[in-house]
């Protein structure tokens, strides 16, 4: 039979780890003539049946395709919208109801039955966006990411969720108005536990039904692209939900997880680790990645918890695990990540693969050919932790801890970094960014404005978590919306106005982003003056006479006649002063024009002086430079 031959061929590729779009045949697929086809991988099962509300939840037995481990059935009874699961009898004879690993929609929680859905038929309108994306070089473009947890950005008055459609109407214009270039969504894959924030996933091909239908989600992506906003989504290939009716021991034996229970059991996160060396698991996970990119037009995936996939001893109780070479590297995990990035970039060279990796593993963003993992970017968690620790400190003691800022200069070009102030740093008692800042309310805002300016001036792409843009005081709570009532306060309003202004400066000034990963893009004009607790550096554009001067004062004492060394004499102008009254500062009259003469300073042939605001920062650019 032709169908069986076709499925046998596809099953062979799946079983050899080379079926990278296995969502095209595994799972449930509706055909034009009303026929529903179900296929599921359960290699050690004694029997498998499909059950659903279309057969009164009675077994409709499936047949295994030529000993491939994949079970198949076709029926005319299942209709769009029907619920279903697979009844799997394991080698021990026990019958368990299991989810469809390839389901593209699940019923609303607390249920977890899959829903019979039609093929994706979305009519896309983002051709211009995708065309520009293919022609662009992301490393040389601005990237200022707004990180969002959909369930708590906004809610209705009765505390019910917004829908994807409502987010399209409100979130997209908001992000556009504030000048961000990308939205990064914390996981939108189906998950039963709200408190997991989506990182304990049930469905690897299904958008969560909390916010509406798959089509509504696709419309959201489409509208982001029409607004020239990219979309990145967090994706979790290292571990899966602990629920016994999900992937765990799917066929009655370890199927998606490691055979060794010690390796399979992720005690720290209460999850099961995928067996990343298993060919079928590679087919499954890489297919999931390509599904979100191919079918949902995502611009990138942020791969969560990469360190858990790189090291055998990352979890508690695994300190003695070693590989065949006697060290702690997870060789299967490393090879999987390399394969994942190679396949994704072969299919979509313009898609961003971003690693959330917390160790000093070398070569995360190096090419696989050069021995690296092949990611496009890595979150710089070391920079984030050190910067936050510095700014949380009483300014009186900052001069003794300047290494918290300067240490990043040592390794800033080791990887292609994204600088994140992420959700993990504003939850579980860590306080919001605003609340971390020392001093009274005025000084907290002054510190926050200075830190955000430092973020946007420092080499690397940027990410900030929602609520930080106006200085929300309460730390993030996943069970309620952001404190939008804050915006009735003039200081919060001015902080939000500052965010828009600094984001616009970042976007418009090429030196702030076009050489993020080139040493030539950074000139260290005054980065070792810990005694005065000030810092100055220059972000250099590709054109030699195009640059931005950044100067920072990390103490609440104004610095008169503060000298800044620059490459050229000539005229300069102010881009932003964080102490501008418009932003909540105290300066009612700004110094906006500066003239550099040929007075050498800090290794630069010219210099000019400014009044450096207390607990503030300045960004300045040249307007008319002299020759030489």
């Amino acid at each position: 039979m032709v169908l069986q031959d076709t499925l046998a061929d596809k099953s062979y590729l799946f079983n050899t780890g080379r079926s990278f779009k296995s969502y095209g045949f595994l799972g449930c697929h509706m055909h034009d003539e009303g026929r529903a086809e179900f296929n599921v991988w359960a290699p050690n099962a004694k029997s498998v049946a499909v059950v659903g509300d279309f057969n009164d939840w009675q077994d409709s037995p499936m047949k295994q395709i030529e000993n491939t481990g994949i079970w198949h059935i076709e029926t005319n009874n299942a209709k769009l919208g029907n619920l279903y699961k697979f009844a799997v009898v394991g080698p021990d004879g026990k019958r368990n109801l299991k989810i469809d690993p390839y389901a593209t929609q699940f019923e609303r929680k607390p249920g977890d039955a899959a829903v019979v859905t039609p093929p994706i038929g979305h009519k896309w309108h983002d051709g211009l966006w995708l065309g520009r994306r293919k022609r662009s070089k992301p490393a040389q473009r601005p990237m200022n990411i707004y990180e969002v947890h959909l369930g708590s950005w906004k809610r209705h008055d009765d505390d019910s969720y917004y829908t994807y459609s409502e987010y399209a109407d409100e979130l997209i214009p908001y992000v556009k108005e504030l000048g961000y270039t990308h939205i990064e969504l914390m996981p939108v894959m189906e998950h039963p536990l709200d408190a997991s924030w989506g990182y304990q996933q049930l469905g690897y091909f299904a958008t969560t039904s909390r916010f509406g239908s798959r089509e509504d989600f696709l419309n959201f992506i489409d509208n982001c692209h029409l607004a020239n906003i990219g979309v990145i989504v967090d994706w979790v290939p290292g571990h899966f939900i602990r629920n016994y009716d999900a992937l765990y021991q799917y066929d009655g034996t370890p199927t998606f997880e490691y055979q060794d229970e010690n390796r399979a059991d992720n005690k720290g996160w209460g999850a099961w680790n995928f067996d990343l060396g298993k060919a079928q698991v590679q087919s499954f996970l890489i297919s999931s990645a390509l599904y979100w990119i191919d079918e949902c037009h995502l611009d990138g995936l942020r791969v969560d918890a990469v360190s858990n996939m790189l090291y055998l001893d990352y979890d508690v109780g695994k300190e003695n695990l070693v590989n065949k070479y006697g060290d702690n590297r997870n060789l299967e995990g490393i090879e999987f990540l390399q394969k994942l990035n190679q396949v994704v970039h072969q299919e979509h060279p313009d898609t961003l693969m971003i690693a959330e990796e917390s160790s000093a593993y070398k070569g995360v963003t190096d090419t696989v050919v050069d021995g690296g993992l092949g990611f496009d970017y890595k979150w710089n968690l070391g920079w984030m932790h050190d910067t936050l620790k510095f700014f949380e400190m009483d300014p009186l003691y900052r001069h003794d801890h300047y290494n918290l800022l300067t240490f990043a200069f040592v390794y800033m070009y080791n990887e292609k970094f994204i600088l994140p102030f992420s959700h993990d740093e504003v939850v579980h008692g860590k306080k919001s960014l605003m609340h971390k800042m020392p001093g009274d309310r005025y000084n907290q805002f002054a510190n926050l404005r200075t830190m955000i300016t430092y973020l946007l001036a420092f080499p690397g792409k940027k990410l900030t978590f929602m609520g930080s843009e106006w200085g929300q005081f309460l730390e993030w709570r996943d069970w309620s919306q952001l404190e939008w009532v804050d915006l009735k306060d003039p200081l919060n309003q001015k902080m939000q106005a500052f965010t828009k202004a600094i984001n616009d400066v970042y976007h418009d000034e090429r030196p702030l982003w076009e050489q993020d990963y080139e040493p030539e893009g950074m000139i260290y004009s005054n980065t070792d003056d810990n005694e005065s607790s000030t810092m100055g550096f220059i972000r250099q554009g590709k054109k030699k006479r195009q640059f931005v001067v950044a100067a920072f004062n990390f103490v609440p004492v104004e610095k008169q006649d503060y000298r800044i060394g620059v490459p050229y004499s000539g005229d300069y102008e102010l881009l932003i002063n964080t102490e501008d009254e418009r932003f909540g500062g105290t300066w009612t009259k700004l110094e906006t024009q500066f003239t550099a003469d040929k007075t050498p300073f800090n290794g630069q042939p010219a210099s000019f002086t400014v009044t450096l605001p207390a607990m503030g920062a300045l960004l300045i650019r040249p307007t008319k430079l002299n020759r030489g």
Side-chain angles (χ1 to χ4, degrees), residues 594-611:
F594 312 92
T595 300
D597 58 28
K598 293 185 178 180
T599 302
F601 187 74
N602 279 354
Q604 296 301 313
S607 63
F608 59 89
T609 61
V610 301
T611 301

Side-chain angles (χ1 to χ4, degrees), residues 32 136 437 461 489 541:
D32 291 340
S136 71
M437 301 296 106
K461 307 310 178 187
D489 186 304

Side-chain angles (χ1 to χ4, degrees), residues 98 345 583:
K98 291 286 191 175
H345 285 130
F583 306 142

Side-chain angles (χ1 to χ4, degrees), residues 180-197:
Y180 293 98
T181 64
H182 291 71
I183 293 172
E184 180 171 321
L185 300 175
M186 292 166 66
V188 294
M189 297 79 180
E190 192 60 85
H191 56 283
L193 180 63
D194 291 347
S196 78
W197 311 336

Side-chain angles (χ1 to χ4, degrees), residues 63-167:
K63 292 184 178 180
Q64 188 173 173
I65 303 167
E66 300 180 9
N67 297 315
T68 61
I70 292 177
W71 300 75
H72 169 81
I73 192 175
E74 295 181 27
T75 177
N76 291 316
N77 295 329
K79 306 300 179 186
L80 295 178
N82 282 148
L83 303 179
Y84 70 95
K85 286 191 173 186
F86 293 115
V88 181
V89 177
D92 59 1
K94 292 183 179 178
R95 177 182 181 273
N96 293 296
L97 290 182
K98 291 286 191 175
I99 67 163
D100 178 2
Y102 282 83
T104 57
Q105 183 180 335
F106 288 90
E107 64 179 324
R108 292 289 295 269
K109 63 172 190 174
D112 62 1
V115 180
V116 178
T117 56
I120 287 181
H122 182 77
K123 184 177 180 181
W124 291 94
H125 305 89
D126 61 352
L128 286 175
W129 168 268
L130 296 179
R132 285 195 299 269
R133 196 180 78 182
K134 287 181 180 179
R135 296 188 298 271
S136 71
K137 296 180 179 179
Q140 299 173 10
R141 297 293 303 159
M143 186 182 298
N144 190 5
I145 304 167
Y146 185 69
E147 188 188 24
V148 177
H149 177 261
L150 282 181
S152 58
W153 187 74
K154 267 192 180 179
R155 293 192 179 188
H156 294 292
D157 291 340
D158 63 358
D159 207 36
S160 61
Y161 291 124
Y162 265 38
T163 64
Y164 294 120
S165 299
E166 289 170 321
Y167 282 119

